[in-house]
Amino acid sequence: MSQISNIAVLGAGVIGASWTALFLAAGRDVTVYDPAPDTERKVNDYIGTAWSALEALGLASGGPGGRVSFARTAADAAAKADFIQENVPERLPLKHAIYAEIEPVLSKTTIVSSSTSGLTLEALQDGWNDPANFVLGHPFNPPHLIPLVELTANEKTDPAALDATEAFYEAIGKVTIRIRKGMPGHVANRLQAAVWREAVFMAIEGVASVEDIDKAMWAGPGLRWAAMGPTMLFHLGAGDGGLQAFCNHFRDTFNGWWDGLGDPRLDEAVIEKLVAGMNDQARGHSPRDLSQQRDRMLVALQTATRSLRDPCVD
Ligand code: NAD
């Protein structure tokens, strides 16, 4: 696969605008296509807002960055691209329509990566005549601040396309994982869903307030999980005996807890209770204000730990 220097971003909403900022910071030229009115202003505003965080994270240290331009059609954006990040709304007919539009203009080596959270690779491949260079590159929101990208390919994918996609994402500062077996939610969203299911269950049961359940996470395991994953942390939880000793010691405890985990559903009554609890916790601060606080903390956490992180990621 050739050097990736020209990127097309298709769909520039929440995810596409963030990808655009990251690609530009990494010195790539980006052509954006999004049919929404005012796309150019919104994307430029987003880039302006994101830039200081990208600099703080060391992701924009290479000078002024790439150039951004705006195309009138998806095919125009795709025609000169080495790499395409597709972020159109999560609806299969829309995704198929845009693949059908761009496929005839792609070069033989252009890689197309979909940000889809919930659609399967197999369903998306149905929109292609030849899906060899089509992969899933699922980011975590916002992609310019959260390193993770989950990669999915299958037997219809050219292995070289997957390797090149992985190498490209890693070159621009992402941390990638490969999904070996497709499952709804990939890996990270399933982990989130499992934890949130129990948080919701405990709120319904009145075990603690919504605020205190959230606090138990960010002041407890959440802080450790920002350092290492759950299995590694338990490897450290029983002294020199490592994970084997931990499992020997806590096997019955965990099996018992797992038997008692909740299985709630987000029905109207449950949602009402969660929203009331969240209104108490937010204390009048808007989601926009709280998002800015979250983003400042994400930057500060990663900046502070950058020099400690590298040996563990390798
Ligand atoms: P969004 O609604 O914020 O943005 C979608 C954008 O696509 C809009 O700006 C819309 O104008 C544009 N669009 C609509 N039709 C289009 C077309 N034919 N061609 C080009 N652009 C078109 O949605 P989002 O949250 O950015 O999600 C985009 C993709 O990213 C989805 O597949 C979603 O599953 C995935 N994703 C979302 C999140 C998240 O947290 N929001 C996280 C990871 C992945």
Side-chain angles (χ1 to χ4, degrees):
M1 298 284 162
S2 58
Q3 177 78 19
I4 290 172
S5 49
N6 290 303
I7 297 180
V9 167
L10 305 180
V14 171
I15 295 302
S18 173
W19 271 125
T20 301
L22 177 67
F23 294 146
L24 290 169
R28 286 5 186 236
D29 291 338
V30 182
T31 306
V32 175
Y33 170 66
D34 189 313
D38 223 11
T39 291
E40 189 163 342
R41 184 191 59 76
K42 283 190 204 149
V43 171
N44 280 323
D45 284 355
Y46 193 97
I47 296 163
T49 308
W51 206 259
S52 60
L54 286 159
E55 283 180 327
L57 289 169
L59 297 172
S61 51
R67 284 163 303 170
V68 63
S69 56
F70 294 84
R72 295 169 69 89
T73 67
D76 285 350
K80 285 193 214 126
D82 312 309
F83 187 91
I84 296 174
Q85 189 75 42
E86 173 275 297
N87 323 277
V88 307
E90 188 77 337
R91 294 204 295 279
L92 199 53
L94 260 184
K95 304 231 187 222
H96 282 175
I98 205 160
Y99 303 152
E101 181 185 342
I102 64 172
E103 188 170 10
V105 306
L106 299 181
S107 85
K108 283 207 165 353
T109 55
T110 303
I111 293 169
V112 180
S113 179
S114 174
S115 294
T116 183
S117 304
L119 300 170
T120 64
L121 177 63
E122 289 70 24
L124 290 169
Q125 282 172 329
D126 286 344
W128 292 87
N129 288 317
D130 177 7
N133 288 340
F134 174 67
V135 300
L136 306 192
H138 174 245
F140 232 57
N141 186 35
H144 73 282
L145 294 184
I146 302 284
L148 180 67
V149 183
E150 298 174 309
L151 295 171
T152 308
N154 65 11
E155 67 291 342
K156 291 186 183 167
T157 316
D158 179 352
L162 180 63
D163 290 346
T165 305
E166 185 176 64
F168 166 63
Y169 282 138
E170 290 182 354
I172 64 167
K174 309 306 288 177
V175 174
T176 60
I177 67 164
R178 290 190 180 198
I179 305 294
R180 292 184 183 159
K181 177 178 175 182
M183 276 204 181
H186 310 306
V187 170
N189 273 326
R190 292 182 73 86
L191 292 171
Q192 285 203 129
V195 169
W196 199 43
R197 178 167 70 178
E198 191 57 20
V200 170
F201 175 70
M202 289 191 289
I204 300 167
E205 289 292 304
V207 174
S209 66
V210 170
E211 178 170 3
D212 276 354
I213 294 167
D214 270 5
K215 206 183 277 183
M217 175 55 74
W218 64 254
L223 200 53
R224 295 201 317 201
W225 287 341
M228 292 177 183
T231 309
M232 174 69 89
L233 286 164
F234 287 152
H235 179 57
L236 312 181
D240 291 341
L243 187 62
Q244 180 69 58
F246 184 89
C247 290
N248 293 345
H249 196 84
F250 292 107
R251 175 177 12 206
D252 293 344
T253 308
F254 272 89
N255 285 337
W257 285 342
W258 284 337
D259 286 343
L261 289 177
D263 188 22
R265 287 295 170 269
L266 286 172
D267 60 28
E268 290 310 316
V270 168
I271 293 171
E272 197 177 318
K273 184 158 190 168
L274 292 174
V275 170
M278 183 44 55
N279 288 339
D280 288 345
Q281 182 177 178
R283 295 190 179 79
H285 295 291
S286 69
R288 180 183 284 260
D289 290 344
L290 293 166
S291 298
Q292 286 172 357
Q293 183 191 2
R294 174 202 63 192
D295 292 352
R296 283 193 298 271
M297 293 183 76
L298 288 173
V299 171
L301 275 169
Q302 292 182 81
T303 308
T305 55
R306 192 163 50 212
S307 63
L308 303 171
R309 165 72 60 197
D310 290 343
C312 297
V313 169
D314 291 338

